[in-house]
Amino acid sequence: MTLKPRTPVDIRAVAKRAGVSIATVSRAMNGITTVDAELAKRVMRAAEELNYTPNTQARALVSGRSGMIGLIVSEITNPFFPELIQSFEDSAVKRGYEILIGSTNYSAERMMQCVRRMVERMVEGVAVMTFGMDEDLVQQMVERGIPVVSIGPKNSLEGASSLQVDFRRGLHEAVQHLAVIGHRKIAFISGPLSLDSARQRQKAFQEAMSSISTPVPPQFVIEGDHTMEGGFAGAEKLLSLKEKPTAIVCSNDMTAIGVLHAVSGRGLKVPDDISIIGFDDIHMAQFTVPPLTTIRMACSDLATAALDALLHDTAEPMRKFEATRMIPTRLIVRQTSGYPRQHAVKRTKPAAKKTSARPVSAD
Amino acid sequence: MTLKPRTPVDIRAVAKRAGVSIATVSRAMNGITTVDAELAKRVMRAAEELNYTPNTQARALVSGRSGMIGLIVSEITNPFFPELIQSFEDSAVKRGYEILIGSTNYSAERMMQCVRRMVERMVEGVAVMTFGMDEDLVQQMVERGIPVVSIGPKNSLEGASSLQVDFRRGLHEAVQHLAVIGHRKIAFISGPLSLDSARQRQKAFQEAMSSISTPVPPQFVIEGDHTMEGGFAGAEKLLSLKEKPTAIVCSNDMTAIGVLHAVSGRGLKVPDDISIIGFDDIHMAQFTVPPLTTIRMACSDLATAALDALLHDTAEPMRKFEATRMIPTRLIVRQTSGYPRQHAVKRTKPAAKKTSARPVSAD
DNA sequence: CTGTTAGCGCTTTCAC
DNA sequence: GTGAAAGCGCTAACAG
């Protein structure tokens, strides 16, 4: 079918075939409207026939626009991030950008590599969606004039936009929900406390517990690492306490899945013996056994907000926007939360409709 | 700390600062050994001080080497693929390459886009790990002289390497395992039959059933789509049959998770009422409730084999290697497989140690 | 509206 | 061993 273009077909080949100059080819290919419609058509046809693909590198080199947005995530094997990546890519493609993914795996060296790659490849903006990253590195990108958006405290970084996540709202709803159906002994398994966002979630949990006037004993707060293994280990600790919790709130869904595994492994029933609440609402949360009650943080919200901030910066690099927006979270009640066994009213089904915590029922 | 390099620092700046020519900088940065050690050191220091990062695009443009390997996957939100990506990236980085990810989402248009991107960005090789992709597109890359490796039938493509997965071995072990503990009514939920690999798995299942002289009624073979939703739907169909299966083998783990959800949702017990076997052995398979018996296809094997083939091609593009290797699969027995309820010997625990199917016990 | 020309930042002959 | 110079494929002035 297509004849082998052993001579790599470049813009010159197309120009010759269409009988125009390379400048015209360039203009036509880039949809510049001032090109004569007739010529443009001829160029397009020639390009088609030769199976021409513009060399992105050359284009980026001369134009200074790479057409890429960098996206730095923590680790790709935590399902939350692929979902984020997908959302991000969808939005980016819609606006004519490609994305360049970097994952830090929580390692300082990989973080450096990520940043270096982003700079080298001349991305036009970087979204740091890693929930905690070395500020110096981010600063480096800012200094190089690359628009940056990250998740974190407002204005933590001069010259970078930031996104806040309303951890408090979701955690508050979760604790309220548990309290209403009779739980008081509520434990929390956090993320790695080196991460700012993990600390924020933990703090939000404790504030929520204060608001129901229930102090949290220190052994009820355990540091996890946002993995299933961490959740498993945390739950094992919690379950070997003399005074066991009747509910465990987790810093993310992977942790919750680990807890579910540990609890079931001991022959305990969820939610009868123990309630579990996750955080993120990854797709799989709907399919655990039983389906996971969790706090949703919509990754499409994150993706859209991040891209908005970035593209605004790119458009008006002078008057930096330094956008700041709040990403909402909210409780999704499924079936890992219910009345504690000791509670007067004995029920198997979760108490979704009864709580006053305005939970949203699952899809 | 670092002074703002508002004048983008390029190779010239480094040359000036080190008091050498740009050619020497280039050589020093690329570790060419013929450079005077003294000068090299001076160059490195200058680069350091200026915080110099070579422009990848320019380098690729002139050298023709982009330092990137393309990796095309089906969809990033199926956990198997992130695990594959991770393995692949680890191997690639070890050999001095970066990877460029493309996901097809099973859409013909996205497949085209993926291939276009790979060509435009001048990747030095492409691994098509999508378990079924338009052959014309692959052909296009081959014709452009890009080394390609894909999963599929041996020599299906002139000039491209291919990896075979030994689906038969794993499926055979799975069926044997079930048969030994008393199952005969075994159903299969396939992947989308448009995918070659899905067809292969289904065929391998049927062959395995033949080998135990047990015909499979047509209503026991259902087409899924490799998602949890597909597994759920398939299980629902299977469970509303008058004559229900006592075991369900799935074309991948996501399907199995969907089945688990459906089965549990109906109040049935796994494995007492029904046994479930997955395929892939994604990390999460260890954490389902109960933990999933599954057929392992190690993504590190896939990644390594793919990269080997690619790099061999890159090194000796003339004498094309067209490697062909076989990726093994094997059964990992966990707790979703056990004696069927009707069976004489009634047990709750799985029969891992008893079967003759040489299953490997879980980690 | 189209063509000519000058680079983008870098690697790589080819002389010295 | 080092430097000068010639491009890699393309876009963006600038003339015409």
Side-chain angles (χ1 to χ4, degrees):
Chain A
M1 200 94 315
T2 43
L3 39 153
K4 308 204 181 200
R6 283 280 24 105
T7 312
V9 10
D10 62 3
I11 198 172
R12 267 175 287 273
V14 179
K16 186 180 294 179
R17 182 169 190 113
V20 297
S21 73
I22 62 168
T24 301
V25 174
S26 174
R27 288 193 272 260
M29 294 297 295
N30 289 315
I32 307 282
T33 51
T34 63
V35 182
D36 182 87
E38 181 59 34
L39 281 195
K41 218 178 303 168
R42 233 161 67 206
V43 169
M44 297 316 262
R45 214 161 44 97
E48 185 97 357
E49 288 166 0
L50 292 172
N51 215 331
Y52 169 67
T53 344
N55 182 319
T56 323
Q57 330 253 10
R59 187 198 299 237
L61 183 58
V62 56
S63 70
R65 302 189 4 85
S66 65
M68 292 193 299
I69 299 279
L71 172 59
I72 300 184
V73 299
S74 301
E75 51 171 352
I76 199 177
T77 50
N78 171 339
F80 174 74
F81 290 107
E83 291 178 21
L84 213 201
I85 292 172
Q86 185 72 64
S87 292
F88 207 89
E89 176 161 34
D90 289 348
S91 295
V93 166
K94 222 172 275 168
R95 307 183 197 202
Y97 285 90
E98 284 186 13
I99 69 173
L100 180 62
I101 301 169
S103 57
T104 68
N105 286 2
Y106 304 112
S107 127
E109 181 176 341
R110 298 220 18 166
M111 287 186 199
M112 276 192 45
Q113 284 177 5
C114 277
V115 170
R116 205 163 44 72
R117 280 180 60 206
M118 300 292 157
V119 173
E120 285 179 358
R121 304 237 177 241
M122 306 206 307
V123 295
E124 295 177 42
V126 173
V128 182
M129 300 282 112
T130 178
F131 298 102
M133 168 132 155
D134 189 352
E135 293 210 352
D136 280 358
L137 287 172
V138 177
Q139 191 63 38
Q140 256 182 54
M141 297 195 280
V142 171
E143 278 171 2
R144 285 196 142 91
I146 302 175
V148 172
V149 60
S150 67
I151 295 175
K154 192 188 303 210
N155 299 331
S156 65
L157 233 55
E158 185 76 26
S161 301
S162 65
L163 265 30
Q164 273 77 54
V165 177
D166 188 0
F167 295 113
R168 298 176 57 185
R169 160 83 180 277
L171 257 345
H172 197 82
E173 284 184 10
V175 167
Q176 280 289 327
H177 165 62
L178 290 172
V180 165
I181 56 182
H183 292 273
R184 285 300 177 276
K185 295 189 279 186
I186 306 175
F188 184 76
I189 301 180
S190 75
L193 293 178
S194 56
L195 294 191
D196 177 69
S197 97
R199 288 195 300 272
Q200 279 189 59
R201 293 175 209 205
Q202 177 171 323
K203 184 151 160 266
F205 167 75
Q206 279 164 324
E207 284 176 13
M209 290 299 285
S210 294
S211 79
I212 59 166
S213 312
T214 308
V216 185
Q219 70 274 22
F220 270 19
V221 177
I222 293 195
E223 179 173 0
D225 60 2
H226 279 174
T227 68
M228 298 183 286
E229 283 80 0
F232 182 84
E236 288 288 319
K237 267 186 225 160
L238 254 13
L239 295 177
S240 45
L241 256 30
K242 327 113 269 224
E243 179 96 28
K244 298 175 184 41
T246 61
I248 302 178
V249 177
C250 303
S251 189
N252 77 342
D253 284 346
M254 296 307 275
T255 302
I257 289 172
V259 171
L260 206 50
H261 179 70
V263 169
S264 303
R266 292 194 168 213
L268 298 173
K269 290 281 162 257
V270 176
D272 293 352
D273 295 314
I274 193 156
S275 288
I276 300 172
I277 296 187
F279 198 111
D280 281 347
D281 193 25
I282 60 176
H283 185 209
M284 183 155 314
Q286 298 169 43
F287 285 89
T288 57
V289 177
L292 188 66
T293 294
T294 188
I295 297 160
R296 174 178 297 173
M297 169 170 61
C299 47
S300 56
D301 287 351
L302 272 173
T304 310
L307 226 43
D308 278 352
L310 244 28
L311 266 30
H312 184 102
D313 277 7
T314 309
E316 297 188 47
M318 291 304 93
R319 267 196 345 80
K320 274 193 98 54
F321 192 49
E322 295 191 23
T324 291
R325 21 212 117 169
M326 186 60 97
I327 310 296
T329 65
R330 68 186 210 277
L331 185 67
I332 307 288
V333 177
R334 295 205 181 89
Q335 298 167 34
T336 54
S337 56
Y339 294 97
R341 192 149 257 175
Q342 302 86 330
H343 197 266
V345 190
K346 181 79 179 316
R347 300 267 205 111
T348 298
K349 284 290 143 202
K353 306 246 176 60
K354 304 278 188 116
T355 145
S356 66
R358 288 190 292 122
V360 178
S361 64
D363 336 309
Chain B
M1 201 88 324
T2 44
L3 38 153
K4 308 205 180 198
R6 282 287 15 111
T7 312
V9 10
D10 61 5
I11 198 172
R12 265 174 290 273
V14 179
K16 187 179 294 180
R17 183 167 190 113
V20 298
S21 74
I22 62 169
T24 302
V25 174
S26 173
R27 293 192 190 102
M29 295 295 296
N30 290 315
I32 306 282
T33 51
T34 63
V35 182
D36 183 86
E38 180 60 34
L39 283 194
K41 218 179 301 169
R42 233 159 69 204
V43 169
M44 295 318 261
R45 214 160 45 94
E48 185 99 355
E49 287 166 0
L50 292 172
N51 213 330
Y52 169 66
T53 346
N55 182 319
T56 322
Q57 330 253 6
R59 185 195 300 235
L61 183 57
V62 56
S63 70
R65 302 190 4 85
S66 65
M68 292 192 300
I69 299 278
L71 172 58
I72 302 184
V73 300
S74 300
E75 51 171 351
I76 197 176
T77 51
N78 171 340
F80 174 74
F81 291 106
E83 291 178 21
L84 213 201
I85 292 172
Q86 186 72 65
S87 293
F88 207 88
E89 177 161 34
D90 290 347
S91 296
V93 166
K94 223 170 277 170
R95 309 184 195 203
Y97 286 90
E98 286 188 11
I99 69 172
L100 179 63
I101 301 168
S103 57
T104 67
N105 286 2
Y106 304 111
S107 126
E109 183 176 341
R110 297 222 17 170
M111 288 185 200
M112 276 193 45
Q113 285 177 6
C114 278
V115 170
R116 206 162 44 71
R117 279 180 60 206
M118 300 292 156
V119 173
E120 285 179 358
R121 304 237 176 241
M122 306 206 306
V123 295
E124 295 176 41
V126 173
V128 181
M129 300 282 112
T130 181
F131 299 100
M133 170 135 154
D134 189 352
E135 293 210 351
D136 280 358
L137 288 172
V138 178
Q139 191 62 40
Q140 256 182 56
M141 297 194 281
V142 172
E143 279 171 2
R144 284 195 144 91
I146 303 175
V148 172
V149 59
S150 68
I151 295 176
K154 192 187 307 209
N155 299 330
S156 66
L157 234 55
E158 185 75 27
S161 300
S162 65
L163 265 30
Q164 272 78 53
V165 177
D166 187 1
F167 296 112
R168 298 176 58 186
R169 159 85 181 275
L171 256 345
H172 198 81
E173 284 184 11
V175 167
Q176 281 289 329
H177 165 62
L178 290 172
V180 164
I181 57 182
H183 291 273
R184 285 300 177 277
K185 294 189 277 186
I186 306 174
F188 184 77
I189 301 180
S190 75
L193 293 178
S194 56
L195 294 191
D196 177 68
S197 97
R199 288 195 301 272
Q200 279 190 59
R201 293 175 209 206
Q202 176 170 323
K203 184 151 158 267
F205 167 75
Q206 278 164 326
E207 284 175 12
M209 289 298 286
S210 294
S211 78
I212 59 165
S213 311
T214 308
V216 185
Q219 69 274 21
F220 271 17
V221 177
I222 293 196
E223 179 172 1
D225 59 2
H226 279 176
T227 67
M228 299 184 285
E229 284 79 0
F232 182 84
E236 288 288 319
K237 266 185 226 160
L238 252 16
L239 295 177
S240 46
L241 256 31
K242 325 117 270 228
E243 180 95 27
K244 299 177 185 39
T246 61
I248 302 179
V249 177
C250 302
S251 188
N252 77 341
D253 285 345
M254 296 307 275
T255 301
I257 290 172
V259 171
L260 207 49
H261 179 71
V263 169
S264 304
R266 293 195 168 211
L268 298 174
K269 291 282 163 257
V270 176
D272 293 351
D273 294 314
I274 194 155
S275 288
I276 301 173
I277 296 187
F279 197 111
D280 281 348
D281 193 26
I282 59 176
H283 185 207
M284 183 157 311
Q286 297 168 46
F287 285 88
T288 56
V289 176
L292 189 66
T293 293
T294 188
I295 297 161
R296 175 178 296 172
M297 168 170 62
C299 46
S300 55
D301 287 351
L302 272 174
T304 310
L307 227 42
D308 279 351
L310 243 28
L311 265 30
H312 184 101
D313 277 6
T314 309
E316 297 187 46
M318 291 305 92
R319 265 195 348 80
K320 275 192 101 49
F321 191 50
E322 297 190 23
T324 290
R325 21 214 119 170
M326 185 61 94
I327 309 296
T329 65
R330 68 187 211 275
L331 185 67
I332 306 289
V333 176
R334 296 205 180 87
Q335 298 167 32
T336 56
S337 55
Y339 293 97
R341 192 151 256 172
Q342 301 88 327
H343 197 266
V345 190
K346 182 81 179 313
R347 302 266 204 109
T348 299
K349 285 289 145 203
K353 307 244 176 61
K354 304 279 189 118
T355 147
S356 66
R358 287 189 293 124
V360 178
S361 62
D363 337 308

